[in-house]
Amino acid sequence: MPSMIGQPLDALDSPQLLLDLDIIDANLKRMFDAGKDRGVNVRTHFKSLKCGGLAQYIKARGGTTFLSAKLNEAEVLADAGITDILIANQIIGPQKMQRLASLARRVTLRVCVDQADNVDQLSRAMKEHGTTLGVLVEVDIGMARCGVLPGADAVALAQHIARSPGLRFDGLQGYDGHLQLVADAKERRAKSLEALEQLVGTRRLIEKAGIPVPIVTGAGTGTWEFVAGYPGVTEIQPGSFVLMDCIYNTVRPEFGCALSILATVISVRPQWYTLDAGSKAISKDFGMPCVKSKLDEKATRLSEEHTKVECDTATRVKVGDRREVIPAHCCATMNLHRQCLGVRKGKVETVWPIEASGRYD
Ligand SMILES: Cc1ncc(COP(=O)(O)O)c(C=O)c1O
């Protein structure tokens, strides 16, 4: 296959997943500069990216710490040369312990826990493999997914970790996932601060019990600015800000949409046209995508390999025309593709495999 490097977009076959590198640069600069100004670490969530080349690109621009949702994503990060990784999730079951211990030997690795049995399992595994794992207690600050309740339950679990061989108690995670897309910014801020108070209140209780709490981490792209700089919080963990999508862009317009799917018009009717990419290339779990730079063209239906876009096609659209489609959910779209093209000023600069796409282990 001829190299795509240096090719203009018109020369490419479609569909293709494009990442606009100038927009990524601006998004990274905005977030990392804000982190520096506010004295918090920005840990970038790799579940939004899943691509080792992109992790290296972010590292070269100052983002050296990452988190992941899954063990396989953490392994891809380590293979890409990232050495500070938080798996922001519970790792359960004997099948995963060997992999976790091997990874803990290669990088500074942390996981989240929310129950004592899991702490015991992790401790046994790390002892057996002669390594140490950092552990954060996940606190449920309102999302009602994983996590212990703030307060006494979290203190008891922190004490349990601090007593467990092979483990190091490193702090707390409280993710306000239920607030990320609250449309009203004032309401989002008020609720985020309320949730945060439970997290830092728990920090104070653990410190009172004589256990240091070096890391307190939380927030996503929707709440980053309320959490960054809040007293008692040491880091934020957004992911979508790097690539963005048309849903997140409505609540966070300061970050540009870098991810798009290059598609070709394959059929034209008077009131709509149809593109050669559908839900197998553009995630629709958060809703309909947008057509880049075409405000009067409205995507109304995705089937597996087609997107229907409604507009007055009479004078403007013909078969073979190109469109860039901005998905409603960047993270789920990255998960659908095996490679992405980094483009700058309309030309392909790099081609990266998306190593962790389609993997759930
Ligand atoms: C634990 C955790 N932290 C942070 C985030 C923030 O990610 P994003 O910035 O994409 O909303 C998520 C999103 O799912 C998450 O699960």
Side-chain angles (χ1 to χ4, degrees):
M1 204 171 45
S3 166
M4 287 189 275
I5 309 279
Q7 296 281 330
L9 300 189
D10 284 350
L12 302 176
D13 193 9
S14 71
Q16 297 283 355
L17 194 166
L18 308 179
L19 304 181
D20 187 311
L21 298 173
D22 284 334
I23 297 177
I24 291 178
D25 289 350
N27 290 347
L28 295 176
K29 183 168 169 20
R30 180 179 286 274
M31 188 63 93
F32 293 150
D33 283 356
K36 272 192 212 117
D37 288 349
R38 293 157 180 245
V40 284
N41 181 40
V42 178
R43 189 179 284 280
T44 307
H45 207 326
F46 191 63
K47 57 104 200 179
S48 306
L49 315 173
K50 289 180 168 277
C51 164
L54 188 48
Q56 287 168 338
Y57 188 87
I58 293 169
K59 185 181 174 189
R61 282 151 187 80
T64 56
T65 62
F66 286 81
L67 68 153
S68 74
K70 292 292 194 174
L71 184 50
N72 76 75
E73 293 168 348
E75 289 166 336
V76 169
L77 280 167
D79 290 345
I82 305 302
T83 56
D84 185 333
I85 303 167
L86 164 65
I87 303 175
N89 223 332
Q90 288 65 22
I91 300 297
I92 303 287
Q95 300 83 354
K96 291 202 168 67
M97 291 299 129
Q98 160 86 55
R99 279 169 65 197
L100 193 66
S102 305
L103 195 58
R105 273 204 294 268
R106 294 172 63 195
V107 300
T108 300
L109 185 67
R110 300 183 177 91
V111 297
C112 286
V113 300
D114 67 1
Q115 48 142 331
D117 283 354
N118 185 212
V119 172
D120 295 340
Q121 179 171 53
L122 294 171
S123 173
R124 275 195 305 276
M126 296 310 129
K127 243 176 28 180
E128 202 177 298
H129 292 91
T131 188
T132 303
L133 180 68
V135 179
L136 272 63
V137 170
E138 179 165 7
V139 182
D140 179 3
I141 56 171
M143 190 186 182
R145 185 172 65 179
C146 298
V148 289
L149 292 179
D153 289 355
V155 177
L157 200 52
Q159 287 168 325
H160 190 73
I161 297 162
R163 286 194 297 267
S164 299
L167 304 184
R168 187 183 62 241
F169 174 71
D170 275 351
L172 300 174
Q173 171 178 283
Y175 171 55
D176 51 359
H178 56 306
L179 304 177
Q180 297 306 316
L181 292 172
V182 171
D184 183 77
K186 273 195 191 136
E187 183 190 346
R188 193 166 359 113
R189 179 174 188 275
K191 288 189 167 155
S192 175
L193 297 185
E194 208 178 293
L196 270 184
E197 203 30 57
Q198 303 186 54
L199 186 62
V200 296
T202 302
R203 173 188 192 148
R204 287 192 289 271
L205 289 177
I206 294 171
E207 285 172 337
K208 219 163 149 193
I211 302 174
V213 185
I215 296 174
V216 177
T217 184
T221 299
T223 57
W224 77 269
E225 71 168 312
F226 317 130
V227 182
Y230 192 85
V233 173
T234 67
E235 72 176 30
I236 54 171
Q237 46 177 233
S240 296
F241 77 98
V242 180
L243 303 180
M244 292 296 287
D245 49 53
C246 64
I247 294 288
Y248 241 141
N249 191 244
T250 61
V251 294
R252 283 288 171 209
E254 71 268 35
F255 297 108
C257 291
L259 186 161
S260 64
I261 305 299
L262 178 69
T264 301
V265 175
I266 56 168
S267 172
V268 178
R269 302 271 286 274
Q271 299 302 323
W272 74 82
Y273 64 82
T274 303
L275 293 167
D276 65 347
S279 62
K280 284 181 171 166
I282 306 161
S283 171
K284 62 174 181 179
D285 62 333
F286 281 9
M288 286 296 119
C290 303
V291 182
K292 187 171 169 178
S293 309
K294 306 276 180 194
L295 290 178
D296 57 338
E297 300 184 7
K298 195 171 170 359
T300 55
R301 194 173 73 207
L302 270 70
S303 44
E304 287 180 42
E305 303 293 2
H306 303 86
T307 295
K308 178 179 181 180
V309 181
E310 293 188 11
C311 65
D312 172 13
T313 57
T315 51
R316 291 179 288 121
V317 188
K318 55 184 190 318
V319 165
D321 283 355
R322 293 301 183 93
R323 290 292 185 272
E324 284 182 52
V325 176
I326 299 175
H329 193 184
C330 59
C331 317
T333 300
M334 287 300 280
N335 193 43
L336 297 174
H337 292 256
R338 292 184 180 170
Q339 72 171 22
C340 52
L341 310 185
V343 302
R344 205 182 299 273
K345 314 230 181 311
K347 284 196 177 154
V348 177
E349 184 172 301
T350 187
V351 180
W352 286 317
I354 308 175
E355 300 91 336
S357 73
R359 285 187 63 186
Y360 308 100
D361 55 325

